[in-house]
Amino acid sequence: MNSLAGPLHGLANQEVIKWIFNMVESIGTTKPSKEQIADYVNKTLSEGKVIPGYGHAVLRMPDPRFTAQKTFAEEYIKGDDIVQIVWDMFDVVPEILGGLGKVKNPWPNVDAHSGALLVHYGMKEYSFYTVLFGVSRALGVMAAMCWSRALGFPLERPKSVTYEWVKDFLNQQS
Ligand SMILES: CC(C)(COP(=O)(O)OP(=O)(O)OC[C@H]1O[C@@H](n2cnc3c(N)ncnc32)[C@H](O)[C@@H]1OP(=O)(O)O)[C@@H](O)C(=O)NCCC(=O)NCCS
């Protein structure tokens, strides 16, 4: 949870929404053109800052979690200006970052989209976004801890045993 608070990692979903709101305020419209977005991206880069929501230490493609959120929004959210900005950024940012020649992954990560969804559904307590992200991860860790204790293993991974193995194991215990 502490490492998530770092500005270049988990905090990025707060940073993304802050960046979008700053751009909207600076340009004076919630419906910026792609050219206006590209100009604001270049301005951010010229100030020596990163584009939040883009890049990844390991991934070298659009983050599947970004794609899943986009697919969800395309189906359930219509006419949301902030969501539209996220999609327009997807059209312009990778080319600009790719053109810098040093960014290993110019594609969006999970944080590029999540803030726009939270805003859409009314969650405007931006400083809680990273906490929410952490809580969703904690559920996975807690589930693994329960299995680890139940099975008596020092470390548990989702695919380390099959369902059939668990059934046999429990039958042997009873
Ligand atoms: C995620 C991140 C920290 C990965 O860092 P990394 O593994 O060092 O990434 P790279 O190897 O591609 O970095 C090489 C260069 O590209 C730059 N770069 C990477 N992503 C960038 C971005 N989104 N905008 C501008 N520059 C970026 C780095 O700052 C670095 O520049 P430098 O050599 O002048 O220091 C980085 O991509 C980043 O800062 N992204 C923006 C913040 C963000 O979205 N974080 C959420 C991550 S899930």
Side-chain angles (χ1 to χ4, degrees):
M1 288 299 288
N2 279 341
S3 59
L4 271 181
L8 291 182
H9 292 281
L11 202 67
N13 69 347
Q14 289 174 207
E15 294 295 318
V16 168
I17 210 70
K18 196 162 101 187
W19 186 92
I20 290 176
F21 284 140
N22 284 343
M23 175 180 70
V24 162
E25 195 181 324
S26 160
I27 299 175
T29 172
T30 57
K31 296 181 191 295
S33 66
K34 288 184 187 173
E35 290 70 29
Q36 285 174 309
I37 293 175
D39 287 348
Y40 198 78
V41 167
N42 284 319
K43 177 175 171 294
T44 302
L45 292 172
S46 71
E47 290 165 357
K49 298 175 189 161
V50 297
I51 306 304
Y54 282 76
H56 201 274
V58 179
L59 282 174
R60 297 292 178 256
M61 57 186 275
D63 192 323
R65 297 165 297 177
F66 172 87
T67 309
Q69 293 175 79
K70 185 169 184 284
T71 304
F72 173 89
E74 281 163 353
E75 184 169 354
Y76 296 106
I77 300 178
K78 304 279 175 248
D80 183 304
D81 288 354
I82 305 299
V83 169
Q84 187 61 49
I85 290 173
V86 168
W87 297 348
D88 288 345
M89 286 179 73
F90 185 36
D91 286 342
V92 302
V93 174
E95 195 180 332
I96 298 174
L97 288 184
L100 296 179
K102 63 174 182 177
V103 182
K104 295 196 188 73
N105 177 46
W107 301 107
N109 56 58
V110 61
D111 295 315
H113 211 311
S114 51
L117 296 183
L118 292 170
V119 170
H120 178 83
Y121 287 109
M123 170 125 190
K124 301 198 172 143
E125 293 78 4
Y126 309 115
S127 61
F128 278 74
Y129 284 12
T130 301
V131 176
L132 270 185
F133 184 58
V135 167
S136 66
R137 292 198 149 185
L139 292 176
V141 174
M142 296 303 286
M145 282 174 72
C146 290
W147 276 116
S148 163
R149 182 166 288 197
L151 302 175
F153 290 173
L155 176 66
E156 178 54 16
R157 292 201 167 86
K159 292 184 179 169
S160 59
V161 293
T162 62
Y163 184 56
E164 287 305 317
W165 188 96
V166 174
K167 277 205 301 195
D168 289 347
F169 175 81
L170 293 176
N171 285 335
Q172 284 164 25
Q173 309 300 311
S174 55

